[in-house]
Amino acid sequence: MESYSLLALTVALLGFLSPCLTRLTPRVSFLMGSPGRRLTHFRSHDVSNTTILLLSEDGDVLYVGARDAVLALDVGHKDAIRLRSKLDWSPSEKDLEQCSMKGKKMADCPNFIRVLQFLNNTHIYACGTFAFSPRCTYINSKTFTMSLKSDEGRGRCPYDPYQRNTAIIVDGELYTGTVADYRGNRPVISRHLSEGRRVDLKLDDTLGWLEDPTFISSSFIPNEEKIYFFFSEVGREYDFIDKFIVSRVSQICMSDVGGQRTLQRRWTTFAKAQLLCQADSELPYNVIQDIDILPPAEGAPADDTLFYGIFTSQWSVNSGRSAVCSFRLSDIKSVFSGNYKVLNRDTLQWSTRVQEKVANPGECGLHNASDNALRFVKENFLADHSVRPVGRSLTMVSAEHNYSHLTVQRVQAANNRDYTVLFLLTESGYLHKAVLLQSGAHIIEEVQVFEQLQPIRSLKLSIPKGVIYVGTSEGVVRVPTANCSFYWTCPQCVLARDPFCGWDPVSRSCVLVSNTQISLGQDIDRGNVEEACNSVLLTHRARFGPNKLPVASCPAGELVSVSLNEVVRLQCPAASQLSQQQWERPNSRLSPDLYLHLGDGSLSFVATPTTLGHYLCFSTENGYQQTMAIYHVKQKSSPKAQTPSTYTWPRIHPMPTTHSVARLRPGPGSGPGLHTSAGTWPKITETRQRETEPTLSSRDTRVTTRQVNRSFTLWTKESGQEEAEFHDRVPLLSARDPCYLKELVVVSVLLVLCLSLLITMLLYVIRQRCRSRTVPQAGTPTRDLDRRTPVEQEARRGNQFLSKHNGQAVHSGQASGLVCNRAPAGSNGHLPNTPI
Ligand SMILES: *[C@@H]1O[C@H](CO)[C@@H](O)[C@H](O)[C@H]1NC(C)=O
Ligand SMILES: *[C@@H]1O[C@H](CO)[C@@H](O)[C@H](O)[C@H]1NC(C)=O
Ligand SMILES: *[C@@H]1O[C@H](CO)[C@@H](O)[C@H](O)[C@H]1NC(C)=O
Ligand SMILES: *[C@@H]1O[C@H](CO)[C@@H](O)[C@H](O)[C@H]1NC(C)=O
């Protein structure tokens, strides 16, 4: 009861604290068919439910368990996945008839392959549901033919294709976790294909070993000579809550041959323990969804083996969320070698043991033990302690993504340090690539891999080939683990914080770290562009010399011709989903009375003589600022409105770095303009008609064009000293703030701040309402407008621009990624000044 109230309290607390979870936004998003992340598909009209994957040792053949078929796919080619052979294996008409007579849906009666494992060098072992009457068969992997010998699949494969199971073959023996009956209520963990003195083993039929489990995965640990099973089940030890689900790890020893009298042909080494994915004083993420093993780093002890699992919660406060927890093998081992709870087999109640310890449950070699010891094992197989996650905390929590599958890889970065990269599949069909940092998880990218919701899918990582296979009902998709060439400037390459990718200053491209010997620009931990791209800058200076800087030749930006009183909308592409966009006008303030900052980063205003002129849009990410677009808004058919002689762009372009600091703080000037980018960069298909300013285009000659398939103008500039300080003071955008009880105070303060912000905004809206009545309807600005923008302030700003520019001009120009390109090919369609 005591623990019940504790749990209730935790529920309440978590419900209260949950809003302070920081968003985990993928930095870049690639939709299906995006050129930046080319996927290779295998689809065939006569093949479906391709959900079980098995990769050959050389990584050239992918065996796929499908509906009524096993496939061998040729995956050795870079550009395509080809069908090598297909083995049909379907139930007969009579089997199907019987299946539907038993009341099963016809769509569930085919043979869904659910076990696919290498048996030995020459054969693959496969099992399928076979019209709710599971069967297993031997497939010759060379000839890809089925042998005449087939086995009954009871206890090896589920009857129902929607029931999850797990299977692993070690030394020619099959270890499985599945339900062993038609109705799906006799779960069993068993061993099959044992020969000689070794007999097939299973769990004793008496109740209590397993409680309505959902099997997730199984792993062989060579050093231990043990198999671990991962599953969730009803936690009977918590009898105070109805159907409280717990996640479990269980173990069996491979040397087990069953007891001599007690536990004959039954496991004597079965033990289970709770896997607790829970941060201190928070509600646990209690339902395991998937788990993958990360072997220890080279030279590290086997005990450092880690298991990364995805967990969701059974409670609605946490619905839609998922957490990743990691568990260390040494922690699992010490829980299994500790104390055990006692099961009263009459009442099926668990209690803490008081009787004398007769045996060590979970110990290998118990098959030789006395009947007394084995009777003890029958009642003491649930470990007293739970396995806690590494660091006693969650590796990652996502409030908005429901993860279902994962695979994990250790990647050596350019600094020779190892980083853990997780590939996580969401319910909605995206593959997230996340790197685990001190400050939390950073999602490098998301790639859309399927469109329809899929009930059962799988992930298979091929580290040597650098690809991931996703098996779904729609087909098989191959995703390269990285595409470094997508990042076409050093800042982009560094900001990605992708351990696979680094900036090569020689070839001036973002390249795979594993392919390169030279030192690359990369900063996984901090994403500091300045430091990581410094070497690149030096190389660039050496090569081009300070005199040949393209600074003076940058174009004046895109010309936008408008009529007065027209509503103008200027687009600002986001550099990434983590960047924030800001607008600036040289020599002028963007008064919130005249300008509307829209959610997608664009700027909207009414064309009046005051609003004509130049506009710059910046994108700031992780303290690094780059110019994304420059516009020159000009009155239509009025050639003398603004001439290049009035504005000399090269003098204005090197923006003073202090602005990046000032702009990030919400103030009356930036007001509603400060927002998080909701726009998705790769999703944006920027199609704008551009005109060029003839007077300036001739200056364009010495410009290096490094724009690859990008449909917007990108200018980058090097950040100065101030930005470095800024970087130190402000936490990284992607950092995940931990959520602690003591942070309650912070939450309250934030609440107060929010309220005052709300009031301010209300006042602003009211003021806006009043003002809108005085907004000029004709093209001439009223005196009111002029008065609202104090002249002194303008003058001061102008001075700022000029003085800062003097100090920065040369510096900026040396930025390696400086791109002065303004008329991308194929622009058409929406005018930026389309009236809205
Ligand atoms: C990588 O990105 C580049 C640039 O967007 C693109 O051209 C290339 O096709 C991509 N490659 C893959 C394998 O996705
Ligand atoms: C098989 O695939 C179809 C879609 O192609 C899906 O609706 C069905 O649920 C899948 N069946 C199983 C058992 O996964
Ligand atoms: C592999 O297993 C199959 C089926 O039991 C058997 O026929 C075959 O001889 C085995 N091959 C080897 C190399 O042991
Ligand atoms: C224990 O069992 C093994 C077979 O697994 C046997 O070889 C061994 O002799 C037995 N040891 C004892 C002490 O009985």
Side-chain angles (χ1 to χ4, degrees), residues 119-123 138 149 195:
L119 179 66
N120 56 28
N121 290 338
T122 57
H123 283 75
Y138 301 79
K149 179 167 82 170
E195 282 170 353

Side-chain angles (χ1 to χ4, degrees), residues 48-51 67 107-108 112 114 160-162 453-456 472-474:
S48 58
N49 302 91
T50 45
T51 45
R67 184 173 75 192
D108 297 338
F112 293 95
R114 303 309 303 279
D160 182 335
Y162 294 99
L453 281 181
Q454 311 276 325
I456 297 162
T472 73
S473 287
E474 289 174 6

Side-chain angles (χ1 to χ4, degrees), residues 115 175 238 254 287 303 316 341 361 392 444 456 458 467 506 516 544 589 612 624 672 757 760 793 801 818:
V115 175
Y175 297 84
Y238 300 93
M254 291 173 64
V287 188
D303 274 2
S316 54
K341 294 186 200 302
R392 298 218 152 204
I444 300 163
I456 297 162
S458 57
V467 293
V506 179
T516 323
F544 296 97
R589 199 166 67 91
L612 294 179
Y624 177 77
L757 194 76
T760 321
Q793 203 172 331
F801 268 96
L818 186 78

Side-chain angles (χ1 to χ4, degrees), residues 413-416 502-509 511-522 535-536 539:
N415 58 5
N416 288 329
W503 184 259
D504 176 359
V506 179
S507 69
R508 306 196 65 228
S509 56
V511 296
L512 268 179
V513 171
S514 56
N515 288 351
T516 323
Q517 303 303 319
I518 58 162
S519 85
L520 299 176
Q522 194 191 55
S535 56
V536 179
T539 321

Side-chain angles (χ1 to χ4, degrees), residues 35-38 480 483 485-486 708-710:
R37 228 58 179 76
R38 240 180 273 139
N483 180 16
S485 59
F486 175 76
V708 194
N709 261 342
R710 293 304 184 286

Side-chain angles (χ1 to χ4, degrees), residues 737-813:
D737 300 325
C739 202
Y740 296 115
L741 260 173
K742 58 184 173 186
E743 246 82 281
L744 259 173
V745 184
V746 181
V747 173
S748 328
V749 171
L750 280 175
L751 196 73
V752 171
L753 279 177
C754 279
L755 277 174
S756 31
L757 194 76
L758 204 72
I759 292 165
T760 321
M761 277 171 72
L762 263 171
L763 286 174
Y764 162 77
V765 167
I766 293 165
R767 205 176 61 148
Q768 183 86 339
R769 286 259 170 84
C770 304
R771 286 281 158 78
S772 64
R773 284 183 213 125
T774 59
V775 162
Q777 297 304 305
T780 39
T782 58
R783 283 250 164 229
D784 283 345
L785 273 171
D786 289 335
R787 253 183 265 132
R788 239 175 278 138
T789 343
V791 178
E792 307 92 72
Q793 203 172 331
E794 297 246 328
R796 205 174 48 105
R797 283 183 62 83
N799 286 339
Q800 254 181 17
F801 268 96
L802 287 174
S803 58
K804 291 276 166 53
H805 134 71
N806 288 338
Q808 289 275 314
V810 176
H811 202 44
S812 279

Side-chain angles (χ1 to χ4, degrees), residues 285-419:
Y285 289 85
N286 56 326
V287 188
I288 185 170
Q289 299 295 334
D290 195 19
I291 196 156
D292 193 27
I293 183 170
L294 181 67
E298 242 180 66
D303 274 2
D304 284 351
T305 302
L306 293 175
F307 296 92
Y308 281 88
I310 297 173
F311 294 79
T312 55
S313 168
Q314 138 182 43
W315 293 286
S316 54
V317 257
N318 275 344
S319 75
R321 288 196 182 152
S322 41
V324 175
C325 277
S326 59
F327 302 93
R328 198 183 297 278
L329 178 61
S330 54
D331 292 337
I332 296 178
K333 279 167 66 180
S334 72
V335 165
F336 279 136
S337 59
N339 284 333
Y340 281 76
K341 294 186 200 302
V342 188
L343 178 67
N344 182 331
R345 286 207 171 264
D346 298 325
T347 61
L348 290 179
Q349 299 276 315
W350 289 97
S351 54
T352 308
R353 188 174 52 83
V354 280
Q355 83 225 67
E356 193 198 340
K357 193 171 180 175
V358 184
N360 291 317
E363 194 180 58
C364 294
L366 279 177
H367 50 276
N368 283 346
S370 66
D371 286 346
N372 197 22
L374 290 181
R375 271 196 297 276
F376 183 83
V377 165
K378 267 176 91 168
E379 287 164 4
N380 296 259
F381 55 89
L382 174 61
D384 215 1
H385 289 286
S386 303
V387 183
R388 297 272 178 171
V390 173
R392 298 218 152 204
S393 63
L394 313 180
T395 303
M396 173 175 166
V397 186
S398 178
E400 53 277 299
H401 305 291
N402 222 334
Y403 294 123
S404 65
H405 290 75
L406 92 168
T407 176
V408 56
Q409 180 179 359
R410 180 177 285 113
V411 183
Q412 196 175 57
N415 58 5
N416 288 329
R417 279 182 45 201
D418 284 340
Y419 289 87

